[in-house]
Amino acid sequence: MQVLALGSGAGGGFPQWNCACRNCSALRAGTFRGKPRTQAQLAVCADGNAWFLLGASPDLRAQIEAVPQLQPSKGQLRQSPVTGVLLASAEVDHVLGLLSLRELQPLEVYSTPSIRRILREDNSIFRMLNRVPGQVQWVDIVPGQHFWLQSGSEQSLRCQAVSLVSKFPAYVPEPKLPELAAQEALLGLILDAPPGKRLGYFPAVPEVDENLLNILDSTDLLFFDGTFWSDDELIRVLGQGQTARQMGHIPVSGPYGSLERLASLQRPRKIFLHINNTNPMLDEAGEEYRALRAAGWEIAEDGWQFQL
Ligand SMILES: [Zn+2]
């Protein structure tokens, strides 16, 4: 399986358009030792032809143009190797890119029924994906059950969605919530690559219990929530706001942070992704970066490619 990290930042990217924090300011000034990042986006391919997107970031159009593998093959006027999109949540930063895929290209979008209903029933702009017959096929997935990403009539990649305890996005109207299933709000994604290799995609993780630890340790390549370094990071930078945990992200450092909670993992190559622009570990000259490298972690960069 080929894996492309097309984007590695959290919502807003790095630098963020309205942010003048220490990181964003230094990056704009050209004095930052670290990379700019578009919003988190992975693409995977098992057979060399059909590519599947994990999420659909607001930066998707530029991310597709950045890699030849995702561009139309020569000799066809309208064609795309992008075959399907697998959604892990209904968060804006994770679904807005679907609207960049509205040019009547046949696609399959895999999501839980609750995520599908939020997008299709309450947000009429997504009807642009179903203007003509045979455009987007919406495929329901059930957390905990295996399913296959399809390329035409062929089974391409075997997947499993892991339900994570979380809330639906803030834009979902209150009266809608009783109609939705809480276990369908936020998923981690496991993809099995022949022969016997496994990818884990967990860009938002509110907490880690023993069951999740075992699942994470069954992967060979793990992309994990690196949104915030500390629980009070945004409050420290902005003087107000929510903690990382209140926003549904286990912080990297501190008691019960991901460095501590995931220290026992034996199997996977461990890579932080979905990194917020305020996170001090983006600074490769800083002690936070040194600390996570010493703990065996890496930070994803836009354009990284992997073979599983
Ligand atoms: Zn910033």
Side-chain angles (χ1 to χ4, degrees):
M1 175 165 63
Q2 301 173 69
V3 181
L4 303 180
L6 303 173
S8 51
F14 179 46
Q16 177 176 311
W17 70 283
N18 65 341
C19 188
C21 73
R22 183 182 155 277
N23 285 353
C24 290
S25 300
L27 187 69
R28 290 192 188 99
T31 58
F32 190 74
R33 201 162 135 209
K35 315 287 190 309
R37 284 172 165 82
T38 61
Q39 295 165 89
Q41 179 68 51
L42 289 194
V44 299
C45 178
D47 61 6
N49 295 309
W51 285 85
F52 296 91
L53 304 176
L54 307 189
S57 99
D59 296 317
L60 189 56
R61 195 201 70 85
Q63 290 168 334
I64 287 174
E65 288 303 316
V67 287
Q69 296 97 311
L70 296 182
Q71 296 164 12
S73 53
K74 292 190 173 59
Q76 294 191 65
L77 188 57
R78 286 289 168 90
Q79 186 271 343
S80 174
V82 176
T83 303
V85 184
L86 181 48
L87 299 179
S89 77
E91 292 293 341
V92 170
D93 305 327
H94 194 74
V95 303
L96 203 57
L98 286 174
L99 296 174
S100 299
L101 303 175
R102 67 190 179 280
E103 282 83 10
L104 310 181
Q105 181 69 31
L107 283 175
E108 292 188 323
V109 176
Y110 302 80
S111 77
T112 62
S114 294
I115 293 172
R116 170 179 51 77
R117 292 185 60 195
I118 291 167
L119 300 182
R120 297 197 69 190
E121 295 176 8
D122 295 336
N123 292 276
S124 58
I125 195 168
F126 285 96
R127 288 178 197 157
M128 290 302 285
L129 299 174
N130 291 100
R131 286 172 61 211
V132 299
Q135 194 178 351
V136 167
Q137 303 283 336
W138 296 80
V139 182
D140 284 349
I141 59 176
V142 180
Q145 292 186 10
H146 287 108
F147 61 97
W148 287 86
L149 300 179
Q150 296 280 139
S151 172
S153 58
E154 303 279 307
Q155 292 180 333
S156 185
L157 273 165
R158 197 176 88 129
C159 306
Q160 192 178 353
V162 179
S163 179
L164 302 172
V165 177
S166 188
K167 293 185 273 235
F168 285 98
Y171 70 79
V172 177
E174 195 80 33
K176 181 81 172 178
L177 294 175
E179 302 173 23
L180 305 173
Q183 73 273 16
E184 296 183 356
L186 175 66
L187 308 172
L189 303 173
I190 299 283
L191 285 84
D192 288 316
K197 296 288 185 181
R198 183 169 261 204
L199 169 71
Y201 186 53
F202 290 78
V205 180
E207 59 187 53
V208 176
D209 61 16
E210 291 306 308
N211 180 49
L212 181 57
L213 265 184
N214 289 331
I215 292 169
L216 298 178
D217 213 10
S218 75
T219 66
D220 298 279
L221 179 60
L222 173 63
F223 291 91
F224 192 82
D225 184 346
T227 311
F228 297 113
W229 175 259
S230 54
D231 198 33
D232 62 352
E233 182 172 314
L234 275 191
I235 298 167
R236 264 197 241 184
V237 172
L238 301 174
Q240 58 178 359
Q242 292 183 303
T243 65
R245 286 192 166 87
Q246 284 169 342
M247 295 175 73
H249 297 286
I250 179 175
V252 172
S253 70
Y256 303 103
S258 51
L259 285 183
E260 183 182 301
R261 288 297 284 140
L262 275 60
S264 63
L265 296 187
Q266 299 288 322
R267 184 167 157 184
R269 179 176 171 184
K270 299 175 292 186
I271 301 177
F272 285 121
L273 174 137
H274 197 271
I275 302 143
N276 199 57
N277 60 81
T278 52
N279 191 325
M281 73 185 188
L282 287 169
D283 181 355
E284 294 168 22
E287 63 186 75
E288 293 85 357
Y289 179 78
R290 277 198 299 280
L292 73 91
R293 295 291 290 133
W297 283 83
E298 299 165 78
I299 306 182
E301 295 179 12
D302 293 14
W304 275 13
Q305 308 199 6
F306 307 83
Q307 189 74 45
L308 257 190

